[in-house]
């Protein structure tokens, strides 16, 4: 048993903290569609980033028409090599057509691919809800603010990746 504990004591653990210095650069790709919900996500994300030490001048907000257009804008930000993380903020609310499934699925797939292709955290905070009420709950009321949560995730991932050496 003592040998197992000795081995357990030697396990390397990497985890990120949330405090960042003011040089961290964050890009927000924001969908204008459903802006009555999305603007609360933007405010939550920016507030959280600033509270954790990110300088306002290092936060860039890029507005696009909707969730479908977000991956292209996020790819351009990633390609610029000017950002340490990208956060996608939007809201796709289910309607009576299959449009929801296409937009939600393809935007999520696109953002995930950008993260892997460019080796940068790309946080998907596109709300995908069945109703307007659910979207409102996730943008700052009963279910918290998913924009703020996305900002926390971005900061933690920047810190985690900085600790993993690539040689």
């Amino acid at each position: 048993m003592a040998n197992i504990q000795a081995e357990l004591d030697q396990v390397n653990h990497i985890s990120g903290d949330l405090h960042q210095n003011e040089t961290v650069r964050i890009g927000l790709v924001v969908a204008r569609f459903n802006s009555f919900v999305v603007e609360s996500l933007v405010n939550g994300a920016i507030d959280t980033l600033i509270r954790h030490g990110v300088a306002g001048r290092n936060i860039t907000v890029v507005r696009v028409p909707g969730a479908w257009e977000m991956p292209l804008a996020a790819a351009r930000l990633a390609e610029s090599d000017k950002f340490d993380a990208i956060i996608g903020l939007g809201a796709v609310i289910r309607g009576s057509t299959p449009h929801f499934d296409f937009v939600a699925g393809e935007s999520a797939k696109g953002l995930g691919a950008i993260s892997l292709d460019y080796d940068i955290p790309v946080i998907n905070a596109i709300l995908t809800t069945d109703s307007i009420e659910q979207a409102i709950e996730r943008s700052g009321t009963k279910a918290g603010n998913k924009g703020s949560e996305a900002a926390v995730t971005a900061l933690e991932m920047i810190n985690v990746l900085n600790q993993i050496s690539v040689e």
Side-chain angles (χ1 to χ4, degrees):
M1 188 66 160
N3 191 27
I4 292 175
Q5 187 58 50
E7 290 299 319
L8 288 173
D9 291 341
Q10 294 181 35
V11 173
N12 295 314
H13 294 272
I14 296 174
S15 64
D17 64 36
L18 300 180
H19 184 73
Q20 301 293 326
N21 66 45
E22 61 182 32
T23 64
V24 168
R25 302 157 304 161
I26 306 290
L28 303 179
V29 179
V30 177
R32 287 193 308 269
F33 199 78
N34 291 321
S35 64
F36 67 96
V37 170
V38 176
E39 286 309 308
S40 293
L41 300 175
V42 174
N43 293 337
I46 291 172
D47 179 67
T48 298
L49 292 169
I50 290 171
R51 287 177 185 270
H52 287 288
V54 178
R57 68 181 172 278
N58 290 338
I59 301 169
T60 300
V61 178
V62 177
R63 295 189 186 274
V64 298
W68 184 266
E69 293 78 21
M70 292 173 68
L72 179 59
R76 186 64 57 94
L77 291 179
E79 187 177 1
S80 77
D81 203 30
K82 295 179 182 175
F83 299 92
D84 299 300
I86 299 166
I87 301 169
L89 301 168
V92 182
I93 301 169
R94 187 178 300 277
S96 58
T97 69
H99 184 257
F100 169 92
D101 298 313
F102 296 117
V103 173
E106 292 302 315
S107 61
K109 190 185 314 180
L111 293 176
I114 293 159
S115 184
L116 297 174
D117 289 348
Y118 290 96
D119 194 35
I120 182 174
V122 178
I123 312 306
N124 180 354
I126 301 172
L127 301 179
T128 52
T129 64
D130 289 323
S131 67
I132 291 171
E133 292 77 21
Q134 287 176 346
I136 291 169
E137 287 175 4
R138 287 161 179 75
S139 65
T141 61
K142 288 195 275 185
N145 186 305
K146 300 305 179 187
S148 177
E149 292 176 20
V152 166
T153 301
L155 296 175
E156 185 171 352
M157 285 303 298
I158 291 167
N159 191 276
V160 165
L161 293 178
N162 285 340
Q163 293 179 60
I164 301 172
S165 63
V166 180
E167 295 178 19

